[in-house]
Every structure is written in structure tokens, then in C-alpha cells.
Amino acid sequence: GENVEQHPSTLSVQEGDSAVIKCTYSDSASNYFPWYKQELGKGPQLIIDIRSNVGEKKDQRIAVTLNKTAKHFSLHITETQPEDSAVYFCAASRVQFYFGTGTSLTVIP
Amino acid sequence: SAVISQKPSRDICQRGTSLTIQCQVDSQVTMMFWYRQQPGQSLTLIATANQGSEATYESGFVIDKFPISRPNLTFSTLTVSNMSPEDSSIYLCSDRTGSYNEQFFGPGTRLTVL
């Protein structure tokens, strides 16, 4: 089955700096790669996703890139704000969703 | 996306008892799922809740421990039976909707077993 690895497990950045979280996957048949943000006490919220026919997607301060050859994808958050502090999960899917182990992001004011 | 609600939002239960968690979606959805998220961990799929038939369980999860009902396209329940402290987790309901089968999650039920 699919195996998704996510790094780093924790990340601290100064407010205004950029944050990058990386994931790798093993199944070349995976074709959908969502990212979720989970704030304390809440369920995961879908923040951005990318499909295998696209290399990059951007939505305001967040962007996701996909390298199908290397089987890795990354979340980029620019101009970070304290409210970006949360746990972020990546996932890879063809039918079933396989989740990464999460990255706890702390944005220091 | 459909709005997903869960009840209860949290509970503290005694060992050996059972708890039923309800999941309500505000529109009809084909696919509903139940996940477990142990403290500080990622999301693990328990089962797919099938409307009108038995749920499909993932490896390591059995119907006797986690019975699931799905009487219609907007509602499902998950029961955690004969609970032990190891069942302390967040239990999440999710659905897949949208043009590209995106997956959305409910707010979760935070269960503590003493």
C-alpha cells in the first residue's frame, strides 16, 4: 500500500517568515494530494490540494508543489502569521487517503 | 462542501462501558468514513460507513468493537464498545464530496476513558 512520510515533525518560524513542509509518497498511482490544517480542539480542515496533472497551485499565502518523478510534494506558507500555528497533515490518494504523520507549526510573534 | 457535525464533542467514560458517536451531514453524501486520531498522532481509517449495508472495516478494526450504522445518506453512528484507556482518542467523521471527491472532516469527538 501507499506510504506517506512528512517532515519536519515540528517547525518554528518568526512571524513574516516562510514555512515549508515536505511529504514523500511511494505509490506512483496516487493522483490527489491534499493538505489539512488542524487547530487545537478542531477537526482537520482542507486548505489546499493538488492533482497529479498539475505541478503547482497557489491560493493567497499558501502554495503546493508536486514533483511526480521524485514522488514528493510540499506546502509553502509565506508571510506567516500567528494564526497559521497549527498541525498540518499531508495526504496522498488514488482511492483511499493515506496521511502523513503531521507537522506542528509554531509562528512566533 | 457539506457541513459535518458530531455529537458529543467530548466525553469522559468509564472502562467497560460503550459510547455512541453521532455524525450528521447537512446534505446527502455517498461516502462517509470514521477515523481515529490517537493523542499527537496522525489519522487512521477505522471503516467506511456504507448506506444500507455493513460497514467495511480496515485491518485491525472489528465490528464487535466498533459497530457502525448508516441508515441514510446524511447520518452515521460509531459505537466504541467495552472501552479501555487505550481507546482514548479523537474520533472523526468524514465525507467525500465536491467535483473531485475531496474529503472533509467533522469537528471530532474527544473521548477519554478512565
Side-chain angles (χ1 to χ4, degrees):
Chain A
E2 175 67 278
N3 180 44
V4 178
E5 295 189 357
Q6 183 172 345
H7 300 281
S9 57
T10 61
L11 179 60
S12 292
V13 299
Q14 292 289 331
E15 182 177 0
D17 288 350
S18 295
V20 180
I21 303 170
K22 299 181 179 180
C23 289
T24 61
Y25 62 99
S26 60
D27 187 354
S28 57
S30 291
N31 58 9
Y32 175 58
F33 306 92
W35 285 89
Y36 291 87
K37 176 184 181 182
Q38 187 174 28
E39 296 175 281
L40 195 61
K42 297 184 178 181
Q45 176 191 5
L46 177 65
I47 56 171
I48 196 168
D49 56 15
I50 193 168
R51 300 190 180 271
S52 58
N53 59 345
V54 176
E56 183 173 359
K57 183 177 179 181
K58 188 174 183 180
D59 183 4
Q60 299 182 6
R61 294 187 298 108
I62 61 173
V64 57
T65 59
L66 171 65
N67 184 325
K68 285 190 297 182
T69 303
K71 296 209 248 336
H72 66 71
F73 56 111
S74 300
L75 176 71
H76 303 253
I77 306 174
T78 59
E79 301 173 28
T80 53
Q81 301 168 3
E83 51 265 39
D84 295 329
S85 297
V87 178
Y88 292 81
F89 290 98
C90 64
S93 172
R94 181 174 62 88
V95 176
Q96 186 169 336
F97 281 60
Y98 296 87
F99 290 87
T101 49
T103 296
S104 177
L105 172 64
T106 300
V107 179
I108 304 166
Chain B
S1 63
V3 176
I4 305 172
S5 59
Q6 288 184 232
K7 288 194 298 186
S9 59
R10 61 178 63 242
D11 208 342
I12 301 173
C13 301
Q14 294 297 321
R15 180 195 299 261
T17 62
S18 298
L19 176 72
T20 295
I21 303 167
Q22 298 180 7
C23 176
Q24 180 75 53
V25 187
D26 70 349
S27 60
Q28 293 186 343
V29 295
T30 304
M31 304 178 78
M32 291 180 73
F33 306 88
W34 287 98
Y35 282 82
R36 182 175 72 183
Q37 186 178 26
Q38 295 179 301
Q41 302 296 313
S42 188
L43 293 81
T44 301
L45 180 63
I46 298 171
T48 301
N50 300 309
Q51 193 265 328
S53 65
E54 192 171 285
T56 305
Y57 289 85
E58 297 300 308
S59 176
F61 298 96
V62 296
I63 188 171
D64 290 346
K65 176 67 176 177
F66 297 102
I68 288 170
S69 78
R70 181 143 185 228
N72 56 52
L73 293 176
T74 64
F75 186 78
S76 178
T77 67
L78 168 75
T79 299
V80 186
S81 302
N82 189 23
M83 289 183 285
S84 67
E86 292 71 35
D87 294 319
S88 297
S89 290
I90 300 171
Y91 292 86
L92 294 155
C93 174
S94 76
D95 71 8
R96 288 196 207 163
T97 57
S99 304
Y100 298 101
N101 227 20
E102 297 96 322
Q103 182 161 213
F104 299 95
F105 289 89
T109 296
R110 282 146 191 82
L111 171 62
T112 301
V113 183
L114 303 177

